[in-house]
Amino acid sequence: DHYDKHFFLNMCHYAVHVPLQAKDSLVQKYATKTPTNHKNPVYAAMVESVDDAVGSILRELEELGILYRTVIIFTSDNGGLHKGNATSNYPLRSGKAFPYEGGIRVPLIVFWKGKITAGYVTDEPLSSIDFFPTICEITGIEIPPDLVLDGKSFVPVLNGEQKEPIHEALIWNYPHYRDWDNTGPYSIIRKSNWKLIKWWDGETTYELYNLKEDLGETTNLAIAMPDKVKELEEELTRILNETNSKVPIPNPNYETDE
């Protein structure tokens, strides 16, 4: 039906997600493999099922003769779940729902025949907030001038025209608690290779990392570099205020036991 029409398909797989469940035949395939950093055959089988499903879509596009005039974006909403021996995000630290790179850095693969050189790789940081303006530019849809967007089109990054980051800074804001592991609220700012994590619970604490030199976030530089912490926190605060973002506030009804 869409051979000669514009179309948009948003395919959100449930996998890979808990509960971990997969086809028995695929589980057995991975159960016989030698474990590496990845040790869970059920998780691996789920990844292969996602791969098969994506392949089915690509084959259909190819059979319709429209594969090479279709833009395909493949990504994830968070890093892999590292709890319970599900998977490994090595060399990144931690995983899903945490402020470290293992939780917020995800794969992004874009196929665009004739526009993106095969095998082209960029290290420029992008965000899911950039998808909407990017798709609008690709499809020639004009964004209303009064529509306020946090994202920016990354088309110039895809075709290699822009070598600099499209964002001066990126932020993540998680202003609440999780009951399943007692993780408190946090906010993050990344600017160039610097990343600051601000923990809001109780007495505010900070973690500062240089991702270029320490991708695994093993060395907290916050105490050694208070000026950098101050610089990044001021910018983080400014952006949170400008975007009217929610931040934790003291509970006026909280009482402590004396």
Side-chain angles (χ1 to χ4, degrees):
D1 292 342
H2 294 87
Y3 178 84
D4 57 353
K5 302 176 183 176
H6 293 300
F7 71 94
F8 176 80
L9 171 64
N10 186 28
M11 181 63 178
C12 299
H13 286 277
Y14 184 81
V16 178
H17 201 280
V18 292
L20 301 185
Q21 299 171 332
K23 299 175 182 177
D24 290 339
S25 58
L26 289 180
V27 173
Q28 292 306 312
K29 169 185 173 180
Y30 288 100
T32 60
K33 288 183 173 288
T34 302
T36 58
N37 288 317
H38 303 278
K39 308 172 184 178
N40 193 313
V42 178
Y43 195 97
M46 294 175 76
V47 172
E48 181 168 336
S49 290
V50 171
D51 187 60
D52 288 343
V54 173
S56 297
I57 295 173
L58 296 183
R59 284 191 298 273
E60 182 69 17
L61 292 172
E62 189 169 27
E63 291 175 5
L64 292 172
I66 59 175
L67 175 60
Y68 296 131
R69 54 188 178 94
T70 301
V71 180
I72 300 166
I73 300 173
F74 181 88
T75 189
S76 177
D77 61 342
N78 52 250
L81 180 67
H82 73 298
K83 296 279 189 177
N85 196 32
T87 191
S88 169
N89 298 303
Y90 181 84
L92 307 180
R93 178 178 173 179
S94 195
K96 175 182 178 179
F98 288 87
Y100 305 106
E101 293 299 284
I104 63 177
R105 184 180 292 230
V106 298
L108 174 61
I109 302 171
V110 183
F111 174 87
W112 189 6
K113 182 71 173 180
K115 297 291 185 178
I116 303 176
T117 303
Y120 174 69
V121 177
T122 178
D123 293 325
E124 299 303 335
L126 307 174
S127 174
S128 57
I129 60 176
D130 301 320
F131 290 148
F132 176 72
T134 300
I135 293 171
C136 286
E137 179 172 347
I138 290 172
T139 55
I141 297 175
E142 184 176 348
I143 298 176
D146 59 342
L147 182 62
V148 179
L149 297 177
D150 294 318
K152 298 181 180 180
S153 171
F154 54 79
V155 168
V157 177
L158 294 177
N159 58 28
E161 293 178 0
Q162 183 165 331
K163 302 298 183 180
E164 300 296 324
I166 63 173
H167 293 283
E168 183 178 350
L170 285 171
I171 70 165
W172 294 257
N173 192 39
Y174 193 92
H176 50 87
Y177 294 83
R178 286 203 305 268
D179 59 359
W180 50 273
D181 66 353
N182 297 318
T183 296
Y186 58 78
S187 300
I188 312 166
I189 181 170
R190 174 177 173 174
K191 187 173 184 180
S192 185
N193 294 312
W194 290 102
K195 176 180 175 182
L196 180 72
I197 305 172
K198 178 177 182 178
W199 294 94
W200 294 85
D201 191 21
E203 183 177 349
T204 304
T205 57
Y206 304 91
E207 294 181 50
L208 176 68
Y209 301 102
N210 185 321
L211 296 179
K212 183 177 182 179
E213 299 176 358
D214 183 21
L215 184 61
E217 296 169 289
T218 61
T219 305
N220 181 5
L221 301 173
I223 295 178
M225 303 184 68
D227 290 344
K228 179 59 70 173
V229 171
K230 182 174 184 294
E231 170 197 335
L232 293 173
E233 186 190 25
E234 287 178 352
E235 184 154 2
L236 172 63
T237 300
R238 176 183 62 79
I239 296 173
L240 290 173
N241 288 338
E242 288 179 354
T243 55
N244 197 29
S245 298
K246 299 292 185 183
V247 296
I249 59 175
N251 181 355
N253 299 317
Y254 178 75
E255 296 181 0
T256 58
D257 294 330
E258 296 295 338

